[in-house]
Amino acid sequence: MAEQVALVIGGILGGLLLLLLLIGVSYYLWKRLCATFTYEELSGTTAASSAQGDAICPPDARTQASRPPGVPFVVPPSLQSRDWVPLSSGEWAQVPQDPYPAPKLLPHTTSSNLGDACVAGTINPELYKIPEDKSEADFPEGCLGRLWFSVEYQQEAERLLVGLIKAQRLHTPSENCGLLVKLHLLPDERRFLQSKTKRRTSSPQFDEQFIFQVSSKSVTQRVLRFSVYLVDRQRKHQLLGQVLFPLKKETLAGNCRHILWRDLEAESLEVKPPSEFGDLQFCLSYNDRLNRLTVVVLRAKGLRLRENTSFVSVFVKVSLMNHNKFVKCKKTSAVLGSTNPVYSETFSFKANPAELDTASLSLTVLQSAEGDRSHELGRVVVGPYMYTRGRELEHWNEMLSKPKELVKRWHALCCTTEP
């Protein structure tokens, strides 16, 4: 019982102390607030008006006459040169000035050049023009469509990130058909990834991401294939075109996303069935102004490898000959374990127009073996009538008749003994 009484008394005393503390703090704050707004009124500040009324006089003389000697107020010397106006009480005040004067308008001009003057406050549209993206407008004749995609390789996770962005100007028979894209990482033909079906458009927008798990040792030997299919009402797939993109070190460098675009190409039925030793597809072009002979090695198929293992690599050697004498040789990168390798590599050679009647190109497909040895799988020779006949001669003559234009063809490989 005594403990309860003591607790009650203690609570009452504590409450009283807290109340006193609050009262003291409030009184202190009130005194500070009153001291802020109080001021001492000066006596004799009313100035006698002069006989001139509101006439303007020098500020120093007016100030000395309108202020009693007991008030220590004078105009500072730095302000005596400013303009003053009289107030009703006889005192002087400075003339207010606009700190932001209105700018003077320049004379109007109808020229749109960037260096010319224009009316202030207007927008010059020439400064905000966005450079035109030629990939959206320049479509060659006979183009089957164009595909935009992105590639990024994560070195630590060993993941290849492929972004399917969009396609434009696909050849669809009607708007009711659907469009989809299948992605293969060659040489693996069995597994693929597929996009969603887009309907009622010939320029679908996909914006989809795909992931391939591939080691860093073999990623540069792989080829991305985008196959664009038309889906009809019976859900049958018809191939419209494809894009083959070899994964090179330059494309995968930097661990960053690279946005690319390629034109679709039709699946070639030019060589059916494959020849005995396989077939090679390449382009030829000659620039008579630069004296430059260009060879683009695209792909091979149906190769007869001597060893059926995944560690076999195949490359193409391109040699320029003149009067059957060796001039210069270049090689493609090696592709591992594929009978249908894709290269898409370009080589250039210097050749004068007078030398084209005696020059020839030899493209040899080689399979690397242990050490520095290599086995020849097949060869193609293209050139003038002195060295070739048939399709090889037609390809050479078509190149000469279409300067600066890439002429693409398939050629059957023949097996000969390498000198």
Side-chain angles (χ1 to χ4, degrees), residues 265 268-271 279-285 295-301 363 380 382 389-399 401-402 405-413:
E265 56 184 33
S268 179
L269 303 176
E270 191 176 347
V271 181
D279 302 279
L280 182 66
Q281 186 187 39
F282 56 91
C283 300
L284 294 179
S285 176
V295 183
V296 183
V297 182
L298 297 176
R299 62 179 68 85
K301 66 178 181 179
L363 292 90
V380 176
V382 291
R389 300 290 189 275
R391 295 180 57 84
E392 289 73 20
L393 178 59
E394 293 176 1
H395 196 178
W396 185 267
N397 291 335
E398 187 178 359
M399 174 197 71
S401 63
K402 299 178 180 179
E405 181 178 340
L406 287 174
V407 181
K408 179 172 61 175
R409 283 201 178 187
W410 280 99
H411 293 276
L413 297 173

mmCIF file of all heavy atoms in Angstrom, residues 265 268-271 279-285 295-301 363 380 382 389-399 401-402 405-413:
data_model
loop_
_atom_site.group_PDB
_atom_site.id
_atom_site.type_symbol
_atom_site.label_atom_id
_atom_site.label_comp_id
_atom_site.label_asym_id
_atom_site.label_seq_id
_atom_site.Cartn_x
_atom_site.Cartn_y
_atom_site.Cartn_z
ATOM 1 N N GLU A 265 18.487 -13.426 -97.148
ATOM 2 C CA GLU A 265 18.870 -14.079 -98.387
ATOM 3 C C GLU A 265 18.124 -15.399 -98.489
ATOM 4 O O GLU A 265 17.837 -16.058 -97.488
ATOM 5 C CB GLU A 265 20.378 -14.312 -98.458
ATOM 6 C CG GLU A 265 20.941 -15.107 -97.299
ATOM 7 C CD GLU A 265 22.452 -15.224 -97.369
ATOM 8 O OE1 GLU A 265 23.089 -14.271 -97.856
ATOM 9 O OE2 GLU A 265 22.976 -16.262 -96.941
ATOM 10 N N SER A 268 19.596 -21.097 -101.036
ATOM 11 C CA SER A 268 19.971 -21.361 -102.422
ATOM 12 C C SER A 268 19.648 -22.795 -102.806
ATOM 13 O O SER A 268 19.969 -23.735 -102.074
ATOM 14 C CB SER A 268 21.466 -21.090 -102.621
ATOM 15 O OG SER A 268 21.837 -21.369 -103.943
ATOM 16 N N LEU A 269 18.969 -22.951 -103.942
ATOM 17 C CA LEU A 269 18.692 -24.266 -104.514
ATOM 18 C C LEU A 269 19.515 -24.487 -105.779
ATOM 19 O O LEU A 269 19.189 -25.330 -106.615
ATOM 20 C CB LEU A 269 17.195 -24.379 -104.839
ATOM 21 C CG LEU A 269 16.245 -24.153 -103.660
ATOM 22 C CD1 LEU A 269 14.812 -24.188 -104.142
ATOM 23 C CD2 LEU A 269 16.468 -25.176 -102.570
ATOM 24 N N GLU A 270 20.601 -23.686 -105.877
ATOM 25 C CA GLU A 270 21.385 -23.728 -107.107
ATOM 26 C C GLU A 270 22.125 -25.054 -107.260
ATOM 27 O O GLU A 270 22.288 -25.564 -108.364
ATOM 28 C CB GLU A 270 22.387 -22.565 -107.097
ATOM 29 C CG GLU A 270 23.075 -22.349 -108.418
ATOM 30 C CD GLU A 270 23.971 -21.131 -108.367
ATOM 31 O OE1 GLU A 270 23.858 -20.356 -107.413
ATOM 32 O OE2 GLU A 270 24.768 -20.969 -109.293
ATOM 33 N N VAL A 271 22.582 -25.622 -106.149
ATOM 34 C CA VAL A 271 23.331 -26.865 -106.213
ATOM 35 C C VAL A 271 22.533 -27.932 -105.485
ATOM 36 O O VAL A 271 22.520 -27.979 -104.262
ATOM 37 C CB VAL A 271 24.734 -26.708 -105.587
ATOM 38 C CG1 VAL A 271 25.513 -28.001 -105.692
ATOM 39 C CG2 VAL A 271 25.479 -25.565 -106.249
ATOM 40 N N ASP A 279 30.507 -28.409 -101.950
ATOM 41 C CA ASP A 279 30.329 -27.200 -102.759
ATOM 42 C C ASP A 279 30.773 -25.986 -101.956
ATOM 43 O O ASP A 279 30.721 -25.967 -100.716
ATOM 44 C CB ASP A 279 28.869 -27.041 -103.173
ATOM 45 C CG ASP A 279 28.363 -28.232 -103.959
ATOM 46 O OD1 ASP A 279 28.634 -28.295 -105.157
ATOM 47 O OD2 ASP A 279 27.706 -29.106 -103.355
ATOM 48 N N LEU A 280 31.197 -24.975 -102.678
ATOM 49 C CA LEU A 280 31.690 -23.740 -102.080
ATOM 50 C C LEU A 280 30.973 -22.559 -102.725
ATOM 51 O O LEU A 280 30.863 -22.489 -103.954
ATOM 52 C CB LEU A 280 33.201 -23.609 -102.276
ATOM 53 C CG LEU A 280 33.876 -22.384 -101.673
ATOM 54 C CD1 LEU A 280 33.806 -22.432 -100.149
ATOM 55 C CD2 LEU A 280 35.333 -22.293 -102.135
ATOM 56 N N GLN A 281 30.499 -21.623 -101.900
ATOM 57 C CA GLN A 281 29.831 -20.421 -102.385
ATOM 58 C C GLN A 281 30.696 -19.209 -102.078
ATOM 59 O O GLN A 281 31.145 -19.020 -100.936
ATOM 60 C CB GLN A 281 28.457 -20.245 -101.736
ATOM 61 C CG GLN A 281 27.641 -19.091 -102.312
ATOM 62 C CD GLN A 281 26.354 -18.845 -101.539
ATOM 63 O OE1 GLN A 281 26.331 -18.942 -100.317
ATOM 64 N NE2 GLN A 281 25.279 -18.520 -102.244
ATOM 65 N N PHE A 282 30.916 -18.364 -103.084
ATOM 66 C CA PHE A 282 31.715 -17.157 -102.891
ATOM 67 C C PHE A 282 31.292 -16.101 -103.908
ATOM 68 O O PHE A 282 30.579 -16.389 -104.891
ATOM 69 C CB PHE A 282 33.219 -17.447 -103.005
ATOM 70 C CG PHE A 282 33.641 -18.084 -104.293
ATOM 71 C CD1 PHE A 282 34.040 -17.318 -105.380
ATOM 72 C CD2 PHE A 282 33.648 -19.466 -104.424
ATOM 73 C CE1 PHE A 282 34.429 -17.902 -106.564
ATOM 74 C CE2 PHE A 282 34.049 -20.064 -105.610
ATOM 75 C CZ PHE A 282 34.437 -19.280 -106.683
ATOM 76 N N CYS A 283 31.709 -14.862 -103.662
ATOM 77 C CA CYS A 283 31.393 -13.722 -104.524
ATOM 78 C C CYS A 283 32.680 -13.189 -105.139
ATOM 79 O O CYS A 283 33.754 -13.222 -104.513
ATOM 80 C CB CYS A 283 30.707 -12.602 -103.741
ATOM 81 S SG CYS A 283 29.151 -13.061 -102.967
ATOM 82 N N LEU A 284 32.545 -12.645 -106.339
ATOM 83 C CA LEU A 284 33.650 -12.002 -107.030
ATOM 84 C C LEU A 284 33.251 -10.584 -107.421
ATOM 85 O O LEU A 284 32.096 -10.335 -107.784
ATOM 86 C CB LEU A 284 34.044 -12.782 -108.290
ATOM 87 C CG LEU A 284 34.628 -14.182 -108.106
ATOM 88 C CD1 LEU A 284 34.935 -14.800 -109.450
ATOM 89 C CD2 LEU A 284 35.872 -14.152 -107.239
ATOM 90 N N SER A 285 34.219 -9.671 -107.357
ATOM 91 C CA SER A 285 33.983 -8.287 -107.759
ATOM 92 C C SER A 285 35.309 -7.672 -108.173
ATOM 93 O O SER A 285 36.352 -7.963 -107.584
ATOM 94 C CB SER A 285 33.356 -7.480 -106.622
ATOM 95 O OG SER A 285 33.210 -6.124 -106.985
ATOM 96 N N VAL A 295 37.255 -10.936 -103.249
ATOM 97 C CA VAL A 295 36.684 -12.273 -103.106
ATOM 98 C C VAL A 295 36.025 -12.359 -101.736
ATOM 99 O O VAL A 295 36.660 -12.055 -100.715
ATOM 100 C CB VAL A 295 37.751 -13.373 -103.243
ATOM 101 C CG1 VAL A 295 37.106 -14.758 -103.171
ATOM 102 C CG2 VAL A 295 38.530 -13.210 -104.525
ATOM 103 N N VAL A 296 34.754 -12.740 -101.701
ATOM 104 C CA VAL A 296 34.024 -12.927 -100.440
ATOM 105 C C VAL A 296 33.690 -14.410 -100.316
ATOM 106 O O VAL A 296 32.848 -14.929 -101.052
ATOM 107 C CB VAL A 296 32.733 -12.085 -100.398
ATOM 108 C CG1 VAL A 296 32.047 -12.261 -99.055
ATOM 109 C CG2 VAL A 296 33.044 -10.623 -100.665
ATOM 110 N N VAL A 297 34.355 -15.095 -99.397
ATOM 111 C CA VAL A 297 34.099 -16.514 -99.147
ATOM 112 C C VAL A 297 32.909 -16.612 -98.191
ATOM 113 O O VAL A 297 33.003 -16.175 -97.031
ATOM 114 C CB VAL A 297 35.337 -17.212 -98.563
ATOM 115 C CG1 VAL A 297 35.063 -18.697 -98.354
ATOM 116 C CG2 VAL A 297 36.539 -17.018 -99.477
ATOM 117 N N LEU A 298 31.802 -17.162 -98.655
ATOM 118 C CA LEU A 298 30.575 -17.192 -97.868
ATOM 119 C C LEU A 298 30.444 -18.469 -97.059
ATOM 120 O O LEU A 298 30.475 -18.453 -95.845
ATOM 121 C CB LEU A 298 29.359 -17.022 -98.792
ATOM 122 C CG LEU A 298 29.290 -15.685 -99.534
ATOM 123 C CD1 LEU A 298 28.114 -15.662 -100.497
ATOM 124 C CD2 LEU A 298 29.199 -14.545 -98.547
ATOM 125 N N ARG A 299 30.312 -19.627 -97.728
ATOM 126 C CA ARG A 299 30.068 -20.871 -97.001
ATOM 127 C C ARG A 299 30.413 -22.074 -97.878
ATOM 128 O O ARG A 299 30.597 -21.942 -99.090
ATOM 129 C CB ARG A 299 28.602 -20.946 -96.576
ATOM 130 C CG ARG A 299 27.634 -20.970 -97.734
ATOM 131 C CD ARG A 299 26.194 -21.080 -97.245
ATOM 132 N NE ARG A 299 25.776 -19.883 -96.567
ATOM 133 C CZ ARG A 299 25.289 -18.810 -97.178
ATOM 134 N NH1 ARG A 299 25.197 -18.785 -98.493
ATOM 135 N NH2 ARG A 299 24.908 -17.759 -96.506
ATOM 136 N N ALA A 300 30.467 -23.213 -97.233
ATOM 137 C CA ALA A 300 30.644 -24.488 -97.928
ATOM 138 C C ALA A 300 29.644 -25.478 -97.358
ATOM 139 O O ALA A 300 29.142 -25.307 -96.236
ATOM 140 C CB ALA A 300 32.068 -25.006 -97.765
ATOM 141 N N LYS A 301 29.355 -26.525 -98.124
ATOM 142 C CA LYS A 301 28.427 -27.545 -97.630
ATOM 143 C C LYS A 301 28.741 -28.884 -98.281
ATOM 144 O O LYS A 301 29.339 -28.959 -99.363
ATOM 145 C CB LYS A 301 26.986 -27.150 -97.906
ATOM 146 C CG LYS A 301 26.592 -27.086 -99.362
ATOM 147 C CD LYS A 301 25.121 -26.726 -99.485
ATOM 148 C CE LYS A 301 24.683 -26.669 -100.935
ATOM 149 N NZ LYS A 301 23.249 -26.340 -101.068
ATOM 150 N N LEU A 363 40.613 -21.398 -105.059
ATOM 151 C CA LEU A 363 40.027 -21.484 -103.717
ATOM 152 C C LEU A 363 40.068 -22.945 -103.291
ATOM 153 O O LEU A 363 39.398 -23.802 -103.879
ATOM 154 C CB LEU A 363 38.595 -20.956 -103.702
ATOM 155 C CG LEU A 363 38.437 -19.452 -103.925
ATOM 156 C CD1 LEU A 363 38.286 -19.125 -105.397
ATOM 157 C CD2 LEU A 363 37.227 -18.916 -103.153
ATOM 158 N N VAL A 380 38.477 -25.107 -106.227
ATOM 159 C CA VAL A 380 37.781 -24.450 -107.329
ATOM 160 C C VAL A 380 38.727 -23.431 -107.937
ATOM 161 O O VAL A 380 39.373 -22.658 -107.208
ATOM 162 C CB VAL A 380 36.485 -23.756 -106.851
ATOM 163 C CG1 VAL A 380 35.832 -23.006 -107.994
ATOM 164 C CG2 VAL A 380 35.531 -24.752 -106.254
ATOM 165 N N VAL A 382 38.735 -20.288 -110.748
ATOM 166 C CA VAL A 382 37.966 -19.393 -111.612
ATOM 167 C C VAL A 382 38.943 -18.463 -112.310
ATOM 168 O O VAL A 382 39.957 -18.046 -111.739
ATOM 169 C CB VAL A 382 36.931 -18.576 -110.810
ATOM 170 C CG1 VAL A 382 35.831 -19.469 -110.287
ATOM 171 C CG2 VAL A 382 37.593 -17.821 -109.673
ATOM 172 N N ARG A 389 36.566 -23.410 -117.803
ATOM 173 C CA ARG A 389 35.435 -23.583 -118.694
ATOM 174 C C ARG A 389 34.170 -23.623 -117.837
ATOM 175 O O ARG A 389 34.221 -23.641 -116.612
ATOM 176 C CB ARG A 389 35.556 -24.889 -119.500
ATOM 177 C CG ARG A 389 36.783 -25.022 -120.381
ATOM 178 C CD ARG A 389 36.719 -24.084 -121.573
ATOM 179 N NE ARG A 389 37.806 -24.372 -122.513
ATOM 180 C CZ ARG A 389 39.035 -23.869 -122.390
ATOM 181 N NH1 ARG A 389 39.334 -23.087 -121.357
ATOM 182 N NH2 ARG A 389 39.955 -24.151 -123.292
ATOM 183 N N GLY A 390 33.024 -23.650 -118.486
ATOM 184 C CA GLY A 390 31.763 -23.881 -117.803
ATOM 185 C C GLY A 390 31.401 -22.798 -116.811
ATOM 186 O O GLY A 390 31.565 -21.595 -117.062
ATOM 187 N N ARG A 391 30.909 -23.206 -115.639
ATOM 188 C CA ARG A 391 30.396 -22.261 -114.636
ATOM 189 C C ARG A 391 31.490 -21.356 -114.093
ATOM 190 O O ARG A 391 31.235 -20.206 -113.767
ATOM 191 C CB ARG A 391 29.742 -23.037 -113.478
ATOM 192 C CG ARG A 391 28.511 -23.820 -113.892
ATOM 193 C CD ARG A 391 27.928 -24.569 -112.694
ATOM 194 N NE ARG A 391 27.602 -23.647 -111.613
ATOM 195 C CZ ARG A 391 26.464 -22.959 -111.544
ATOM 196 N NH1 ARG A 391 25.560 -23.065 -112.499
ATOM 197 N NH2 ARG A 391 26.229 -22.165 -110.528
ATOM 198 N N GLU A 392 32.702 -21.862 -113.956
ATOM 199 C CA GLU A 392 33.799 -21.046 -113.446
ATOM 200 C C GLU A 392 34.132 -19.911 -114.417
ATOM 201 O O GLU A 392 34.383 -18.776 -114.007
ATOM 202 C CB GLU A 392 35.037 -21.916 -113.194
ATOM 203 C CG GLU A 392 34.926 -22.856 -112.010
ATOM 204 C CD GLU A 392 34.007 -24.034 -112.266
ATOM 205 O OE1 GLU A 392 33.746 -24.333 -113.458
ATOM 206 O OE2 GLU A 392 33.530 -24.648 -111.306
ATOM 207 N N LEU A 393 34.122 -20.217 -115.718
ATOM 208 C CA LEU A 393 34.375 -19.173 -116.710
ATOM 209 C C LEU A 393 33.224 -18.170 -116.761
ATOM 210 O O LEU A 393 33.446 -16.953 -116.887
ATOM 211 C CB LEU A 393 34.581 -19.813 -118.081
ATOM 212 C CG LEU A 393 34.807 -18.862 -119.267
ATOM 213 C CD1 LEU A 393 36.037 -17.994 -119.048
ATOM 214 C CD2 LEU A 393 34.899 -19.636 -120.575
ATOM 215 N N GLU A 394 31.985 -18.643 -116.651
ATOM 216 C CA GLU A 394 30.825 -17.738 -116.632
ATOM 217 C C GLU A 394 30.876 -16.797 -115.434
ATOM 218 O O GLU A 394 30.538 -15.606 -115.545
ATOM 219 C CB GLU A 394 29.544 -18.559 -116.611
ATOM 220 C CG GLU A 394 29.289 -19.360 -117.881
ATOM 221 C CD GLU A 394 28.062 -20.236 -117.763
ATOM 222 O OE1 GLU A 394 27.410 -20.192 -116.688
ATOM 223 O OE2 GLU A 394 27.747 -20.956 -118.723
ATOM 224 N N HIS A 395 31.283 -17.312 -114.298
ATOM 225 C CA HIS A 395 31.388 -16.462 -113.099
ATOM 226 C C HIS A 395 32.430 -15.369 -113.305
ATOM 227 O O HIS A 395 32.213 -14.199 -112.944
ATOM 228 C CB HIS A 395 31.750 -17.338 -111.893
ATOM 229 C CG HIS A 395 31.502 -16.664 -110.578
ATOM 230 N ND1 HIS A 395 31.718 -17.277 -109.379
ATOM 231 C CD2 HIS A 395 31.056 -15.410 -110.267
ATOM 232 C CE1 HIS A 395 31.411 -16.459 -108.389
ATOM 233 N NE2 HIS A 395 31.019 -15.309 -108.912
ATOM 234 N N TRP A 396 33.561 -15.711 -113.891
ATOM 235 C CA TRP A 396 34.621 -14.723 -114.135
ATOM 236 C C TRP A 396 34.175 -13.657 -115.141
ATOM 237 O O TRP A 396 34.389 -12.460 -114.927
ATOM 238 C CB TRP A 396 35.864 -15.458 -114.623
ATOM 239 C CG TRP A 396 37.060 -14.589 -114.803
ATOM 240 C CD1 TRP A 396 37.456 -13.958 -115.948
ATOM 241 C CD2 TRP A 396 38.043 -14.250 -113.814
ATOM 242 N NE1 TRP A 396 38.604 -13.264 -115.747
ATOM 243 C CE2 TRP A 396 39.008 -13.405 -114.442
ATOM 244 C CE3 TRP A 396 38.219 -14.564 -112.478
ATOM 245 C CZ2 TRP A 396 40.108 -12.906 -113.771
ATOM 246 C CZ3 TRP A 396 39.315 -14.060 -111.801
ATOM 247 C CH2 TRP A 396 40.242 -13.235 -112.439
ATOM 248 N N ASN A 397 33.550 -14.074 -116.203
ATOM 249 C CA ASN A 397 33.095 -13.122 -117.223
ATOM 250 C C ASN A 397 31.978 -12.224 -116.699
ATOM 251 O O ASN A 397 31.906 -11.035 -117.043
ATOM 252 C CB ASN A 397 32.629 -13.874 -118.468
ATOM 253 C CG ASN A 397 33.777 -14.538 -119.205
ATOM 254 O OD1 ASN A 397 34.927 -14.101 -119.105
ATOM 255 N ND2 ASN A 397 33.477 -15.598 -119.949
ATOM 256 N N GLU A 398 31.097 -12.775 -115.873
ATOM 257 C CA GLU A 398 30.030 -11.952 -115.291
ATOM 258 C C GLU A 398 30.609 -10.903 -114.354
ATOM 259 O O GLU A 398 30.102 -9.780 -114.271
ATOM 260 C CB GLU A 398 29.025 -12.839 -114.559
ATOM 261 C CG GLU A 398 27.793 -12.088 -114.076
ATOM 262 C CD GLU A 398 26.787 -13.004 -113.406
ATOM 263 O OE1 GLU A 398 27.044 -14.232 -113.336
ATOM 264 O OE2 GLU A 398 25.744 -12.495 -112.939
ATOM 265 N N MET A 399 31.675 -11.257 -113.637
ATOM 266 C CA MET A 399 32.343 -10.276 -112.772
ATOM 267 C C MET A 399 32.901 -9.118 -113.598
ATOM 268 O O MET A 399 32.785 -7.949 -113.216
ATOM 269 C CB MET A 399 33.464 -10.969 -111.998
ATOM 270 C CG MET A 399 34.335 -10.029 -111.167
ATOM 271 S SD MET A 399 35.902 -10.772 -110.676
ATOM 272 C CE MET A 399 36.760 -10.822 -112.256
ATOM 273 N N SER A 401 31.856 -8.103 -116.529
ATOM 274 C CA SER A 401 30.776 -7.342 -117.176
ATOM 275 C C SER A 401 29.991 -6.484 -116.193
ATOM 276 O O SER A 401 29.252 -5.591 -116.610
ATOM 277 C CB SER A 401 29.818 -8.302 -117.882
ATOM 278 O OG SER A 401 29.192 -9.167 -116.954
ATOM 279 N N LYS A 402 30.140 -6.739 -114.886
ATOM 280 C CA LYS A 402 29.437 -5.959 -113.858
ATOM 281 C C LYS A 402 30.460 -5.386 -112.880
ATOM 282 O O LYS A 402 30.619 -5.893 -111.759
ATOM 283 C CB LYS A 402 28.420 -6.822 -113.114
ATOM 284 C CG LYS A 402 27.327 -7.395 -114.012
ATOM 285 C CD LYS A 402 26.384 -8.283 -113.218
ATOM 286 C CE LYS A 402 25.289 -8.850 -114.105
ATOM 287 N NZ LYS A 402 24.368 -9.750 -113.343
ATOM 288 N N GLU A 405 30.326 -4.675 -108.684
ATOM 289 C CA GLU A 405 29.146 -5.391 -108.196
ATOM 290 C C GLU A 405 29.550 -6.804 -107.795
ATOM 291 O O GLU A 405 30.288 -7.480 -108.498
ATOM 292 C CB GLU A 405 28.075 -5.436 -109.279
ATOM 293 C CG GLU A 405 26.795 -6.144 -108.841
ATOM 294 C CD GLU A 405 25.742 -6.139 -109.920
ATOM 295 O OE1 GLU A 405 25.845 -5.293 -110.835
ATOM 296 O OE2 GLU A 405 24.825 -6.985 -109.865
ATOM 297 N N LEU A 406 29.059 -7.243 -106.625
ATOM 298 C CA LEU A 406 29.374 -8.579 -106.141
ATOM 299 C C LEU A 406 28.529 -9.612 -106.884
ATOM 300 O O LEU A 406 27.300 -9.524 -106.909
ATOM 301 C CB LEU A 406 29.119 -8.687 -104.642
ATOM 302 C CG LEU A 406 30.125 -7.982 -103.726
ATOM 303 C CD1 LEU A 406 29.661 -8.047 -102.282
ATOM 304 C CD2 LEU A 406 31.512 -8.600 -103.858
ATOM 305 N N VAL A 407 29.207 -10.590 -107.492
ATOM 306 C CA VAL A 407 28.539 -11.659 -108.227
ATOM 307 C C VAL A 407 28.703 -12.946 -107.414
ATOM 308 O O VAL A 407 29.837 -13.396 -107.196
ATOM 309 C CB VAL A 407 29.126 -11.824 -109.638
ATOM 310 C CG1 VAL A 407 28.391 -12.927 -110.391
ATOM 311 C CG2 VAL A 407 29.057 -10.503 -110.402
ATOM 312 N N LYS A 408 27.588 -13.512 -106.964
ATOM 313 C CA LYS A 408 27.621 -14.666 -106.066
ATOM 314 C C LYS A 408 27.184 -15.931 -106.797
ATOM 315 O O LYS A 408 26.185 -15.927 -107.519
ATOM 316 C CB LYS A 408 26.701 -14.404 -104.872
ATOM 317 C CG LYS A 408 26.627 -15.548 -103.875
ATOM 318 C CD LYS A 408 25.861 -15.146 -102.633
ATOM 319 C CE LYS A 408 24.431 -14.762 -102.928
ATOM 320 N NZ LYS A 408 23.658 -14.476 -101.695
ATOM 321 N N ARG A 409 27.939 -17.029 -106.542
ATOM 322 C CA ARG A 409 27.595 -18.315 -107.152
ATOM 323 C C ARG A 409 28.120 -19.464 -106.298
ATOM 324 O O ARG A 409 29.072 -19.311 -105.535
ATOM 325 C CB ARG A 409 28.166 -18.434 -108.566
ATOM 326 C CG ARG A 409 27.402 -17.656 -109.625
ATOM 327 C CD ARG A 409 27.677 -18.211 -111.005
ATOM 328 N NE ARG A 409 26.919 -17.522 -112.026
ATOM 329 C CZ ARG A 409 26.888 -17.902 -113.308
ATOM 330 N NH1 ARG A 409 27.559 -18.962 -113.696
ATOM 331 N NH2 ARG A 409 26.178 -17.221 -114.186
ATOM 332 N N TRP A 410 27.466 -20.625 -106.483
ATOM 333 C CA TRP A 410 27.954 -21.887 -105.920
ATOM 334 C C TRP A 410 28.836 -22.573 -106.957
ATOM 335 O O TRP A 410 28.589 -22.498 -108.159
ATOM 336 C CB TRP A 410 26.791 -22.816 -105.577
ATOM 337 C CG TRP A 410 26.100 -22.510 -104.280
ATOM 338 C CD1 TRP A 410 24.948 -21.818 -104.115
ATOM 339 C CD2 TRP A 410 26.516 -22.915 -102.982
ATOM 340 N NE1 TRP A 410 24.604 -21.755 -102.785
ATOM 341 C CE2 TRP A 410 25.561 -22.428 -102.062
ATOM 342 C CE3 TRP A 410 27.604 -23.641 -102.491
ATOM 343 C CZ2 TRP A 410 25.645 -22.649 -100.699
ATOM 344 C CZ3 TRP A 410 27.699 -23.861 -101.125
ATOM 345 C CH2 TRP A 410 26.732 -23.363 -100.240
ATOM 346 N N HIS A 411 29.866 -23.289 -106.452
ATOM 347 C CA HIS A 411 30.747 -24.059 -107.328
ATOM 348 C C HIS A 411 31.021 -25.414 -106.677
ATOM 349 O O HIS A 411 31.229 -25.508 -105.463
ATOM 350 C CB HIS A 411 32.079 -23.331 -107.571
ATOM 351 C CG HIS A 411 31.936 -22.080 -108.368
ATOM 352 N ND1 HIS A 411 31.902 -22.057 -109.741
ATOM 353 C CD2 HIS A 411 31.800 -20.780 -107.969
ATOM 354 C CE1 HIS A 411 31.770 -20.818 -110.167
ATOM 355 N NE2 HIS A 411 31.712 -20.020 -109.104
ATOM 356 N N ALA A 412 31.029 -26.437 -107.517
ATOM 357 C CA ALA A 412 31.344 -27.785 -107.041
ATOM 358 C C ALA A 412 32.853 -27.929 -106.864
ATOM 359 O O ALA A 412 33.645 -27.482 -107.702
ATOM 360 C CB ALA A 412 30.822 -28.825 -108.029
ATOM 361 N N LEU A 413 33.233 -28.558 -105.751
ATOM 362 C CA LEU A 413 34.648 -28.791 -105.488
ATOM 363 C C LEU A 413 35.122 -30.017 -106.253
ATOM 364 O O LEU A 413 34.398 -31.017 -106.367
ATOM 365 C CB LEU A 413 34.881 -28.987 -103.985
ATOM 366 C CG LEU A 413 34.554 -27.813 -103.067
ATOM 367 C CD1 LEU A 413 34.684 -28.225 -101.610
ATOM 368 C CD2 LEU A 413 35.465 -26.627 -103.374
#
